[in-house]
Amino acid sequence: MIYFDNSATTKIDPAVLATYDAISNDYFGNPSSLHAVGTKANDMLQASRSQIAQLIGAEPDEIFFTSGGTEGDNWIIKGTAIEKREFGNHLITTAIEHPAVINTMKQLEKLGFRVTYLPVDKNGFIDPQMLANAITDQTILVSTMVVNNEIGAIQPIHEVAKVLADYPTIHFHVDAVQAVGKGLHDLIRDPRVDFATFSGHKFHAPRGTGFIYAKRGRKIAPLLTGGGQESDWRSGTENTPAIGAMAKALRLLLTNEDANVAQQAAVRKRILNHLQQYPDVTIFSPATNQFAPHILCFALPGVRGETIVHAFEDHDIYISTTSACSSKKGTESSTLKAMQVPERIATSAVRVSLDEHNTLAEADEFNRVFDILYKKFAKLRTTVTAAHSA
């Protein structure tokens, strides 16, 4: 099996799973309990928090555990809206955000908040000047992803930060779910960034794990209220085994990060170079440093994305349409739509997404199978092209 769908989820690392099992057996107490068993569990919880903080260059009291990226995005955005509603009701995001951000913004619009969705250019990038022009005296939050999950475009975080330097009271949130471990630490931890979202299952940790970074001195309202866990910011008994496993996974991810990124970039380049031999293949993730090393999005116009996905699956190669969250809906990519890519091309788009375990041999096998499928789909592509020309 060749697994090229790591932006959807990653396989849990065996060492991480072993850590989960060990903590489940040895630290089973509730971290909030006063007795020795609870104290032991709390010690493990705080050790995990400290390790994660050290790994991303933060302080332990700036790390709060969540169930994953969706909760983190919801919490930071809604938490800001609730906390700062007396100071303003305007939020700014981009037109290519993950549904966890877009749909949260839409929900807030129904509650009376105003949202500006910044457009992107034909390559998938926002213009920081448009952000500057969109800011008003009512703006309380700017939220943008670091790496687009569909095409891998790296947003100009430093330039956005420079714009926001003149607006110190506006919360600046980055969705770092697709960026962690990809050599982009300087973007994730730009000094102007106030909040960042992370998801464990994107880096070989158990599903249902995640954390947010919240800069000391910044405050958001709790999304989950109850027993007052996580310094009264996020109630609910912490999943100590999964959190400990996530800390282990993050440490493993960031060990030899440069070599891991180089490996992914090499595999991506091998596939990209092969696809570029076909003039009718549309590439949305070119070989530049403005795109992440692990995501390659392309289209074979005339063949629907889901058809391509299942054709590769017949050869035991697993890729996806542009987003796992919307792949079963059979709709065009929201990112490509925002880039004004014609629907007939956007609905043909597929995504290859890598991790550090993928190899050049796997890339070669992918290329071999692509050649077979290209010939197989020749008649279908010719028919569709003729129909659009008529």
Side-chain angles (χ1 to χ4, degrees):
M1 181 185 78
I2 296 176
Y3 184 72
F4 280 171
D5 195 19
N6 289 281
S7 287
T9 196
T10 58
K11 182 180 180 181
I12 190 169
D13 187 291
V16 172
L17 184 58
T19 294
Y20 178 89
D21 288 341
I23 297 177
S24 294
N25 288 322
D26 298 336
Y27 298 85
F28 58 87
N30 186 322
S32 297
S33 296
L34 295 177
H35 49 64
V37 177
T39 298
K40 182 179 179 181
N42 186 60
D43 289 345
M44 171 57 68
L45 180 70
Q46 302 313 326
S48 300
R49 193 188 313 276
S50 295
Q51 183 178 65
I52 289 173
Q54 186 274 325
L55 287 168
I56 70 164
E59 297 297 327
D61 62 356
E62 296 176 315
I63 303 299
F64 298 87
F65 298 120
T66 69
S67 62
T70 295
E71 183 192 335
D73 287 339
N74 271 260
W75 180 17
I76 293 167
I77 295 168
K78 293 176 182 175
T80 293
I82 296 170
E83 185 68 27
K84 296 176 71 70
R85 65 189 183 279
E86 64 180 291
F87 304 108
N89 69 340
H90 181 227
L91 305 94
I92 301 174
T93 189
T94 83
I96 61 167
E97 295 300 308
H98 188 277
V101 170
I102 293 291
N103 291 335
T104 299
M105 293 289 185
K106 289 180 178 179
Q107 187 177 29
L108 287 174
E109 285 183 293
K110 294 178 181 179
L111 297 175
F113 288 86
R114 294 190 307 108
V115 179
T116 296
Y117 300 91
L118 298 175
V120 294
D121 63 20
K122 64 179 182 180
N123 297 311
F125 300 102
I126 61 170
D127 180 355
Q129 185 57 50
M130 294 189 72
L131 166 66
N133 295 340
I135 294 174
T136 75
D137 60 359
Q138 293 294 303
T139 305
I140 56 176
L141 172 72
V142 170
S143 177
T144 178
M145 54 177 40
V146 180
V147 172
N148 178 262
N149 57 301
E150 298 186 18
I151 66 170
I154 302 171
Q155 297 305 315
I157 301 301
H158 290 322
E159 288 73 14
V160 171
K162 289 178 182 177
V163 171
L164 293 178
D166 294 330
Y167 303 92
T169 62
I170 296 176
H171 282 182
F172 182 22
H173 164 236
V174 298
D175 183 331
V177 168
Q178 292 291 343
V180 64
K182 306 303 179 183
L184 302 173
H185 181 76
D186 63 321
L187 297 182
I188 299 171
R189 294 292 286 111
D190 183 289
R192 181 58 183 84
V193 169
D194 298 310
F195 299 92
T197 306
F198 300 84
S199 180
H201 79 104
K202 305 297 188 180
F203 53 85
H204 308 289
R207 295 179 190 179
T209 62
F211 64 95
I212 69 166
Y213 158 77
K215 182 186 292 184
R216 185 181 291 172
R218 294 296 202 185
K219 188 176 181 182
I220 52 177
L223 195 63
L224 301 177
T225 56
Q229 291 85 353
E230 295 299 288
S231 301
D232 212 24
W233 276 42
R234 197 270 191 185
S235 293
T237 301
E238 297 95 341
N239 187 347
T240 307
I243 290 170
M246 177 174 62
K248 174 73 169 285
L250 186 61
R251 179 174 63 80
L252 294 176
L253 175 78
L254 298 180
T255 300
N256 300 319
E257 182 178 6
D258 290 344
N260 291 339
V261 169
Q263 171 70 14
Q264 293 166 77
V267 174
R268 180 181 180 275
K269 183 178 179 181
R270 182 73 64 92
I271 297 173
L272 178 59
N273 287 346
H274 187 77
L275 294 176
Q276 286 176 331
Q277 299 177 47
Y278 295 91
D280 53 343
V281 171
T282 303
I283 305 292
F284 300 108
S285 310
T288 74
N289 58 11
Q290 291 181 295
F291 286 81
H294 66 299
I295 295 177
L296 173 56
C297 181
F298 67 93
L300 187 57
V303 186
R304 289 192 65 88
E306 58 266 31
T307 301
I308 300 173
V309 168
H310 290 308
F312 271 103
E313 184 179 2
D314 290 339
H315 293 267
D316 218 15
I317 299 175
Y318 296 87
I319 62 174
S320 71
T321 52
T322 49
S323 173
C325 293
S326 60
S327 61
K328 289 187 176 181
K329 298 177 182 178
T331 57
E332 64 181 304
S333 156
S334 59
T335 296
L336 299 183
K337 184 176 182 180
M339 291 163 58
Q340 299 186 19
V341 175
E343 183 178 359
R344 66 182 181 84
I345 297 178
T347 53
S348 296
V350 293
R351 179 188 66 186
V352 170
S353 52
L354 311 168
D355 75 358
E356 63 276 16
H357 302 298
N358 291 128
T359 66
L360 290 174
E362 291 178 332
D364 290 338
E365 176 63 9
F366 177 93
N367 291 339
R368 185 189 72 81
V369 171
F370 180 83
D371 292 343
I372 295 172
L373 298 180
Y374 185 86
K375 295 176 181 177
K376 176 181 178 181
F377 293 136
K379 184 176 181 180
L380 177 60
R381 289 185 290 108
T382 300
T383 300
V384 173
T385 301
H388 280 283
S389 300

